[in-house]
Amino acid sequence: MVRLVNVIFCVLFIILNGNLIYYLRTLSSREHATDMMHLRQSTEQEINEKNATIAQITKEIERLKRELASKPTCDTSPSSPSGSPPSPSSEPFVSLEFFPALVGPYLPDRNDKSLVLIPVGEKSKPLIDKIVVKFGTEHFTYMFFVYDDSDWKEFSWETKVHWIRSYRQVKFWYLKRFVSPAIAKAYAYIWIIDDDVDVDLIDPHGFIQIMREHNLDVAQPSIATGYKYSHFFTVERKGTHAGRFTNFVEIGPLLVFTSAAYVCVHDLIPRDMSAGWGLDLVWRDYCKFKNMAIIDRYPMKHVSTKSLVDMAEKGNGVDFYAGAWAEEGELLKRHSNLEVIDSTKM
């Protein structure tokens, strides 16, 4: 009897234990299903929130694009020579890669000696005096090419300048004959300046610092807003940057070469050239310049007196611009193998 009871008890235990296991398994499955449902709902909610955020960002980007497209991209001030300057899209050869301004004061290095070359005349005396006074004579040596009968003894710095007189000539005629590679190699930088430039906004030491730190072969200041320019992309672009890398630096009214860059350009200048037109279209390829730039931090004021042009025309009895165009044509013909910047898109 006792044995029978034990058997029955064991059978009941097995049955009840099985039901319990089944129940627990069922309960666990239900809980798992509930957890999965909550997890799926949570995941779907997160995805929806992310999609909404992405849609909002995309909408904002499109708004900024429309706003940017509606802004003018060029200066249409009355100072523009043609009244309606070309848009940047017509200047595909110009790089607009901005480079930053440097931090900290500039301490001139004794090896930063510069040679400053300027054709000068009576009308340009106030501007030339400003250049010498501002640049000083400690780090700058001056060679002035006098193209008229002006006298400069009134200035205290007159005896510190190397003077060359040859009437009614233009700057590249002087450079080819009087500034040889041997002379240029004695200096770190060669400044070539027209006599109708106001340097009021230029820090010469800061300009050299930018050239040195960015390893520039040749650079020019941008043209201050409101002053005469030949190519729109050279007009000052305001901002915190120091300047813009480019593949074109024009022959004037102010440009700065390293001495090594000048030596190469001197070789490119034909002996019968005066105005220098066309040199800036080919010297990048001819000299294999790696870094050229327009410096916006120190813009120049181009007052454009054209006194040298007037003097040259009176002396030679020919139209200056006709002669300059002819020189450019001859230069490009001589160097037809070089890459030429398309001047019609400037």
Side-chain angles (χ1 to χ4, degrees), residues 117-120 124 127-128 131 170-172 192-199 251-255 302 308:
L117 309 169
I118 314 177
V120 299
S124 59
L127 294 176
I128 301 305
I131 291 174
V170 191
K171 63 184 174 183
F172 284 96
I192 303 174
I193 309 177
D194 289 351
D195 66 343
D196 59 355
V197 171
D198 188 329
V199 297
I251 58 171
L254 189 161
L255 69 163
H302 187 200
L308 188 152

Side-chain angles (χ1 to χ4, degrees), residues 211 215-219 256-258 261 288-292:
M211 288 197 67
N215 196 29
L216 301 178
D217 299 302
V218 56
V256 184
F257 291 102
T258 62
K288 307 304 178 188
F289 291 149
K290 293 182 179 179
N291 295 314
M292 305 169 69

Side-chain angles (χ1 to χ4, degrees), residues 99 107 110 112 158 176 223 243 251 280 293-294 313 344:
F99 52 82
L107 300 177
R110 66 179 59 187
D112 281 348
E158 183 264 342
K176 186 65 174 181
I223 304 294
I251 58 171
D280 47 12
I294 298 170
E313 288 185 342
T344 63

Side-chain angles (χ1 to χ4, degrees), residues 1-261:
M1 185 68 177
V2 174
R3 183 178 297 175
L4 179 61
V5 171
N6 289 336
V7 171
I8 294 171
F9 179 80
C10 289
V11 171
L12 289 173
F13 176 80
I14 292 171
I15 293 171
L16 291 174
N17 189 53
N19 289 337
L20 178 61
I21 293 172
Y22 176 78
Y23 173 77
L24 292 175
R25 285 180 176 174
T26 302
L27 180 61
S28 177
S29 299
R30 289 175 180 175
E31 290 177 349
H32 177 71
T34 302
D35 290 341
M36 289 299 294
M37 181 178 66
H38 289 311
L39 179 61
R40 187 180 299 110
Q41 291 175 346
S42 177
T43 302
E44 290 176 352
Q45 183 178 358
E46 290 178 0
I47 292 174
N48 290 335
E49 290 176 353
K50 289 180 179 179
N51 287 338
T53 301
I54 292 173
Q56 184 177 0
I57 293 174
T58 302
K59 185 178 179 180
E60 180 66 14
I61 290 174
E62 293 300 323
R63 185 189 68 79
L64 291 174
K65 284 182 178 179
R66 290 193 299 270
E67 181 179 336
L68 183 61
S70 65
K71 291 183 177 181
T73 56
C74 61
D75 180 12
T76 56
S77 63
S79 62
S80 304
S82 61
S84 179
S87 65
S89 61
S90 66
E91 303 158 3
F93 57 89
V94 179
S95 168
L96 294 181
E97 181 186 350
F98 291 80
F99 52 82
L102 303 172
V103 178
Y106 171 71
L107 300 177
D109 189 289
R110 66 179 59 187
N111 295 322
D112 281 348
K113 194 76 173 178
S114 291
L115 177 61
V116 181
L117 309 169
I118 314 177
V120 299
E122 182 68 33
K123 293 181 180 179
S124 59
K125 282 184 175 180
L127 294 176
I128 301 305
D129 181 50
K130 180 181 287 190
I131 291 174
V132 179
V133 171
K134 184 166 190 175
F135 284 33
T137 55
E138 182 180 359
H139 297 278
F140 295 88
T141 299
Y142 301 90
M143 183 181 293
F144 290 169
F145 311 110
V146 186
Y147 54 77
D148 60 9
D149 57 358
S150 57
D151 189 313
W152 296 77
K153 290 185 174 61
E154 63 200 84
F155 298 102
S156 60
W157 43 259
E158 183 264 342
T159 58
K160 298 180 180 180
V161 173
H162 300 281
W163 298 91
I164 294 176
R165 290 182 178 272
S166 183
Y167 295 140
R168 302 181 178 93
Q169 295 297 339
V170 191
K171 63 184 174 183
F172 284 96
W173 185 93
Y174 293 110
L175 297 180
K176 186 65 174 181
R177 287 161 177 77
F178 302 109
V179 191
S180 66
I183 293 175
K185 288 177 181 178
Y187 301 89
Y189 297 96
I190 310 298
W191 294 63
I192 303 174
I193 309 177
D194 289 351
D195 66 343
D196 59 355
V197 171
D198 188 329
V199 297
D200 185 51
L201 302 176
I202 295 177
D203 174 0
H205 297 298
F207 195 98
I208 289 175
Q209 181 190 24
I210 291 174
M211 288 197 67
R212 186 174 61 190
E213 294 295 333
H214 293 284
N215 196 29
L216 301 178
D217 299 302
V218 56
Q220 70 169 87
S222 60
I223 304 294
T225 304
Y227 289 85
K228 183 176 176 57
Y229 61 84
S230 298
H231 309 300
F232 174 70
F233 67 87
T234 63
V235 174
E236 173 187 10
R237 303 205 177 187
K238 298 184 182 297
T240 59
H241 63 285
R244 296 164 271 151
F245 289 114
T246 178
N247 58 6
F248 178 84
V249 169
E250 59 184 333
I251 58 171
L254 189 161
L255 69 163
V256 184
F257 291 102
T258 62
S259 58

